[in-house]
Amino acid sequence: IAAVIFTFSNLMQEFPLGNRASNLEIAITGYEIALTVRTPKDFPTDWAATQNNLATAYSDRIRGDRADNLEQAIAYYQAALTVRTPKDFPTDWAMTQNNLANAYRNRIRGDRADNLEQAIAYYQAALTVLTPKDFPTDWATTQNNLATAYSAVGRIEDALACFRLALEIRTPITNPIDCLQSARNLGNTAFNAGMWAEAIAGYETAIDAVEVSRTWATSDSRRQEIIANAIGVYENMVQSCINAQQLDIAIEYVERSRSKRLVDLMASNDLYAGGDIPPQVQEYLHQYEELQRQIDKQRPDRTSDDNREANAPVTTFRHSRAAWEAKNEIIKELETQKQQIWEQLRRLDPVIAGGIQVTAPNLVEMQQLIDNTHTAILSFYTTTNDTHIFILRHHQPPQIHTCTSQGQETFQNWIDDNWLQPYLKNKAAWLDGMSEFLAQLSKRLQLTELIAQHLNGIEEVIIIPHLLLHQIPFGALPVVEGEDKFFGDEFLIRYIPNCQILQYCQQRGQLEQLVYGTVEDADGTLPGASYEGEKIAQLHNITEDKRLIGFSQATVSKYRQLASQVQVLHSSNHAQSRLDNPLESRLLLADGTITLGQLLTPGWRLPHLSDVFLSCCETNLGVTRITDDILTLATGFLCAGARSVCSTLWAVDDLASALFSIFYYQYRQKGSDRPEALRQAQHQLRTLTGETLASQYEPELTAYLVAQKEEAEAKLQKAKKNLQRLYKGTPDYQRWQQEYDRWNGRAHRIFTIKENLKSLCQQPLPFAAPFYWAGFICSGLR
């Protein structure tokens, strides 16, 4: 019986299955049963061990009163010490001293100060046995615990000294998890005491430990989890550096904290630029593509959830929302399978599998990204209490502009409540409140003061947003109250997720010889996009073999082929962001889709791609989580190899997008760089009068639409005649029914856009609202 109880009591120490609360109750019962045999007289050593284990179980107990449980634990530890003496069992005695100290440190009853002093005494006693030479790990743990107790009683210097001792053993390389614990404790203790140099030293070690742990992780998800769990360390490090007026260090840690996943993807995918892909990776890519084809088959009506609207005026804005979930359960299951393949692919990634170290740029390297004295980087960073804007200029010390009281709750959550949620749930309210929201945001960011104090002589800003600021059209933020003057009027604007990604884009270099290609109205439902493609093709003499027009040509395979043949790719078709699962954000083509997940794989290497213009909806709309990784179709093309991407922050208007794109390419042809062409196109669109629209654009556009409508009606009549001679339910009947629906929809959209065009021509400034022009942004190189 004693042997059975002995085995059972040992098993209680590791009970891996079931509910933890229940497991602890079973363990307590087991230990108590064991003590009916293990008496201090007959089995003193085993009795003491069981007393210690029973105490630990009570210390961890979930059920019952917490104060009572701790009292029980203390009693059992003290009982164990009647046998575990420093003379007879020094190691066991020291371990129980340590456990008893932990119990007193957490004790609820009694005087708090007295309890902590008791804990300190027990930790110090344990250290008489647990030396760094004989028990280095236990010694470091005890030093960490002693430091925590010292901190609780206000003995800050003693606490810091003990944390430092613990870190002599707990290093980032040998034990990054424990190192993070002690270094974070050191940093937090110093931070709370306002000792900024000590805090910086602690957080620096903690972040080293985080980043070592991250390099050891073998999956994207685990790497993200490691950063997410330690994001507070980065935040406190940045704030400590600001408080210590060490802005150079602060901006470096801001850079190290964000878009790590995107940086890894760019670093590894550039290694595949030559097209040499290992066989195992090729097999996973094949499986990934096959699952995508199965998903596309589950969407027989690929236009039903599109969202580039056929010129609906603001008052009748009705396009669909960004998606929060898969369309049906079958697609959801297939997406889950794709995610599993994705994880397997990522485990073979050269950065993850090969342990290639990706090092964030330092301040000097960041400033080298600025090639003139008229450009500045504005790096935004929201902490618990404030939003900081770091200003980097060419060969000048960094500066900071702090928006006080604009922290996570008061600022980022405000953006979510007043911008993202209305966009997703109530588009009419989002549109109605857009101008007021942007005005309020400008005040919260103190843009007028920012310009006056820090941007004198600056002509271009490179914006690095943070969290929900990635969704904001900075060009439309008003800078003079009551006047039609915007941030984008004052400065050329580029966006980047972080400096390292801009560094990758610069390392690719500019391309001299540019071949243009267009993808135009892939499913035949966007007359404005069709007109847009025609005008751009005329402007740049794009040959027919470099144009994919309509559902007969704009297929997935041809899109992919075109992207590998041209240096400038203009894509005007439907797209949709998936906010719940960014890898499923997609471009909608004639026979299927191209997802962000595909763009991020080694199968999509486009090293000779200079520019991508995504004249589609929501191509840079993403919800950035705590680690600030903006994963969108736009950043996907940057990963694939593009130097620059023009994209959209919301579901844009068809006609406005067509005119904007045409204006943009006209300015590019005249020699304007990308952000200048974007600014000029935005200004031209928003100041375009109804009279000018009627005289310069309406006749040609109407003639084009009439020709397109005649073609649609001819195809419609052909489909109708075939339907009349076929039996319902047959494959041929279904095929012609799809043809009929497609051309009928196109004819209806052409009619709608013509009618709206007439209305717009009668308005003073038909595209003045920010909705029409502000959603387009430029990322990457100038």
Side-chain angles (χ1 to χ4, degrees), residues 22-37:
S22 298
N23 289 347
L24 285 168
E25 296 305 308
I26 295 170
I28 288 170
T29 301
Y31 291 135
E32 288 173 342
I33 293 172
L35 287 174
T36 63
V37 174

Side-chain angles (χ1 to χ4, degrees), residues 295 299 301-308 319-327 331 335 423-424 427 573-589 592-597 599 614-622 631-634 648-652:
I295 289 173
R299 295 188 179 111
D301 180 11
R302 281 180 289 276
T303 67
S304 62
D305 54 357
D306 62 48
N307 59 358
R308 172 165 161 168
H319 53 253
S320 68
R321 302 180 178 95
W324 274 107
E325 59 186 0
K327 196 169 184 180
I331 292 177
E335 288 179 357
Y423 177 79
L424 295 173
K427 289 287 177 58
N573 48 276
H574 290 299
Q576 186 178 53
S577 172
R578 273 287 296 278
L579 299 182
D580 67 314
N581 187 356
L583 296 182
E584 297 301 327
S585 297
R586 59 200 180 103
L587 297 170
L588 284 79
L589 299 172
T593 59
I594 295 171
T595 67
L596 173 59
L599 290 173
L614 297 172
S615 183
C616 321
C617 292
E618 303 178 342
T619 48
N620 203 54
L621 172 62
L631 296 178
T632 65
L633 291 165
T648 56
L649 294 170
W650 55 73
V652 290

Side-chain angles (χ1 to χ4, degrees), residues 539-552:
L539 194 63
H540 289 285
N541 299 315
I542 302 175
T543 58
E544 289 299 317
D545 65 311
K546 297 297 186 292
R547 296 178 63 189
L548 304 180
I549 305 172
F551 52 81
S552 63

Side-chain angles (χ1 to χ4, degrees), residues 101 210 252 303 305 316 366 428 472 488 588 602 668 689 715 767 780:
V210 169
E252 290 178 355
T303 67
D305 54 357
T316 59
M366 284 187 266
I472 299 303
L588 284 79
R668 285 289 281 154
T689 65
K715 296 289 182 65
F767 301 110

Side-chain angles (χ1 to χ4, degrees), residues 149-318:
Y150 278 139
S151 178
V153 297
R155 294 169 62 176
I156 303 303
E157 292 292 349
D158 289 334
L160 298 178
C162 288
F163 283 133
R164 289 191 211 101
L165 289 172
L167 288 170
E168 292 178 5
I169 303 298
R170 296 177 158 191
T171 69
I173 300 299
T174 60
N175 194 336
I177 295 175
D178 288 342
C179 176
L180 171 59
Q181 181 192 48
S182 292
R184 174 159 41 193
N185 289 342
L186 171 59
N188 289 346
T189 301
F191 185 93
N192 293 332
M195 302 169 66
W196 308 125
E198 292 283 359
I200 290 169
Y203 291 137
E204 181 178 24
T205 303
I207 290 171
D208 287 343
V210 169
E211 295 179 357
V212 167
S213 294
R214 191 173 179 276
T215 63
W216 292 355
T218 58
S219 71
D220 271 335
S221 57
R222 179 57 186 147
R223 286 186 161 214
Q224 289 303 97
E225 182 183 0
I226 289 169
I227 294 293
N229 290 339
I231 204 69
V233 176
Y234 286 93
E235 180 183 321
N236 283 358
M237 177 62 158
V238 171
Q239 192 62 60
S240 296
C241 293
I242 292 171
N243 295 345
Q245 298 183 340
Q246 296 184 21
L247 298 185
D248 51 344
I249 301 176
I251 187 63
E252 290 178 355
Y253 279 96
V254 166
E255 177 72 13
R256 285 169 69 170
S257 73
R258 59 167 151 223
S259 294
K260 304 289 285 184
R261 183 183 189 187
L262 194 57
V263 166
D264 282 353
L265 286 162
M266 290 193 75
S268 59
N269 285 342
D270 278 357
L271 297 176
Y272 286 119
D276 297 326
I277 301 176
Q280 190 175 3
V281 174
Q282 287 279 22
E283 176 58 29
Y284 282 131
L285 289 175
H286 174 76
Q287 295 176 33
Y288 196 82
E289 297 287 345
E290 178 55 35
L291 286 168
Q292 184 57 51
R293 283 189 285 271
Q294 293 180 39
I295 289 173
D296 290 335
K297 289 179 181 178
Q298 294 296 320
R299 295 188 179 111
D301 180 11
R302 281 180 289 276
T303 67
S304 62
D305 54 357
D306 62 48
N307 59 358
R308 172 165 161 168
E309 187 56 62
N311 195 237
V314 171
T315 54
T316 59
F317 189 46
R318 62 184 184 277

Side-chain angles (χ1 to χ4, degrees), residues 107-141:
R107 193 183 188 200
I108 298 169
R109 294 182 183 162
D111 181 74
R112 176 66 175 159
D114 290 341
N115 289 336
L116 288 170
E117 291 300 332
Q118 284 273 42
I120 290 169
Y122 284 122
Y123 286 133
Q124 291 172 333
L127 288 172
T128 62
V129 173
L130 302 176
T131 63
K133 178 182 178 181
D134 297 327
F135 303 95
T137 302
D138 295 326
W139 175 82
T141 299

Side-chain angles (χ1 to χ4, degrees), residues 509-584:
Q510 298 276 15
L511 299 176
E512 298 297 329
Q513 299 297 322
L514 301 179
V515 176
Y516 287 72
T518 60
V519 181
E520 308 168 24
D521 189 14
D523 63 356
T525 63
L526 295 172
S530 181
Y531 172 73
E532 168 188 327
E534 183 68 29
K535 295 297 291 182
I536 293 170
Q538 293 173 9
L539 194 63
H540 289 285
N541 299 315
I542 302 175
T543 58
E544 289 299 317
D545 65 311
K546 297 297 186 292
R547 296 178 63 189
L548 304 180
I549 305 172
F551 52 81
S552 63
Q553 297 179 18
T555 63
V556 171
S557 61
K558 289 183 179 179
Y559 190 108
R560 188 168 186 163
Q561 183 180 23
L562 180 68
S564 66
Q565 294 173 340
V566 300
Q567 285 72 55
V568 180
L569 176 65
H570 182 84
S571 187
S572 53
N573 48 276
H574 290 299
Q576 186 178 53
S577 172
R578 273 287 296 278
L579 299 182
D580 67 314
N581 187 356
L583 296 182
E584 297 301 327

